Amino acid sequence: MATSGLQHVAAMYAGVVAPPLIVGAAVGLSGTELTFLTGACLFTAGLATFLQTLGIWKIGARLPFVNGVTFAGVAPMTAIVASTKDKSDALPIIFGAVIVAGVLGFLAAPIFCKAIRFFPPVVTGTVITLIGVSLLPVSFGWAQGPNPAAHDYGSATNLTLAGITLVIVLLLRRFTRGFVKQIAVLLGLIAGTIIAIPFGVTDFGPVADARVVGFPTPFHFGAPQFQVAAILSMCVVMVVSMTESTADMLALGEIIERPANEKTIAAGLRADTLGSALSPLFNGFMCSAFAQNIGLVAMTRIRSRFVVAFGGGFLVLMGLCPMAASLIAVVPRPVLGGAGVVLFGSVAASGIQTLARAGLDKDNNVLIVAVSIAVGIIPITAPNFYHAFPETARIVLDSGISTGCVTAVLLNLVFNHLGRPGSVGAQDVTHPMEAGEEIAVVR
């Protein structure tokens, strides 16, 4: 349980620490304060994971679901920082906006969860596939190195280390059994880190500089401040976050063969939003489900929520012990990238499995999948596609998962629900671009 839980931490660690590092740098925090902010986000991610996996009352999906700082909030948070004259007020303004957005999201969860009726297999399969496809560029970026401005970014050394880690994970999955097979990703990360030492890529500096004990003092950066513009922008992020969390819960439900119903989704959204509302108390940001951990569940087939809860315990420990947190930071980014190819690719494969039983022999379903995936990969293939749109709109548009999900839901309504039964959706065709037979409509 401990090693499997640690795998989940390793898979999502980079995603948790990236937002506080980016926002903290924009605010101009010192190295000590930046370390504090990062530890606070790890601590609150652990608390949110406890809420999601173990649950309290009607709060928590009680699925093997990891929660952490959502990357969707980075753009609006940096915009808030840029628009704040006194940078010392930036974090309190962000925290106040996150609290309000979290409370409103918690109240809206019972209504938002009813969207599940609009997520049949053709929609869920498309969204799950998009989740995997959207995450793969993250692993490719890791494989190239931690800093795009560095001279060795994308070097042969970095890519080789990523490839070696990938091969190690694949060999362990192919030629081992039982416990060793289940922790193949963790073993691959350890082996890759050791191999990287002679290349000078492994940095043990974070361990040497870290303190043994540290607690995220409540409201360390000041009492929360409430500004309307900041609150509105974070409410938009909350809607995006709830949409992605709904899709992630549906994806995880398919993978563990326990389909998520309205009750499960409502409880999961309550955990997301309550975790977000409480996070600023300990200097953390908005929390949401981490899709990359779904890939780990899909690959290992370890479905126990208590394993993920154990991972949440590791996150809390890291928040309380900066030295423990620094151990994960030792893993070189190229090594994480090699393991990420397997993790995120597994999510996309799960989506394809779902699409296989979605009735793709029907013309309408093929078109739904084709257009939704095309719309969903726009932010990946053309990152500046929506550059002329307002910043608020780009919060949604730059999330391929959100745009693809909305597109799939709307197209499913148009093709499979609006109009009379027995319309075009019932016709079998071999390809969406081929003409179907003429349809006689019974009046």
Side-chain angles (χ1 to χ4, degrees), residues 23 91 112 149 200 211 222 248 250 256 260 277 295 334 343 392 419 440:
V23 176
L91 287 176
F112 200 92
R211 293 179 298 165
D248 289 342
L250 292 168
I256 68 173
L343 296 178
T392 303

Side-chain angles (χ1 to χ4, degrees), residues 307-327:
V307 167
V308 176
F310 211 101
F314 277 119
L315 291 171
V316 171
L317 175 63
M318 290 178 183
L320 298 176
C321 178
M323 184 171 287
S326 65
L327 290 175

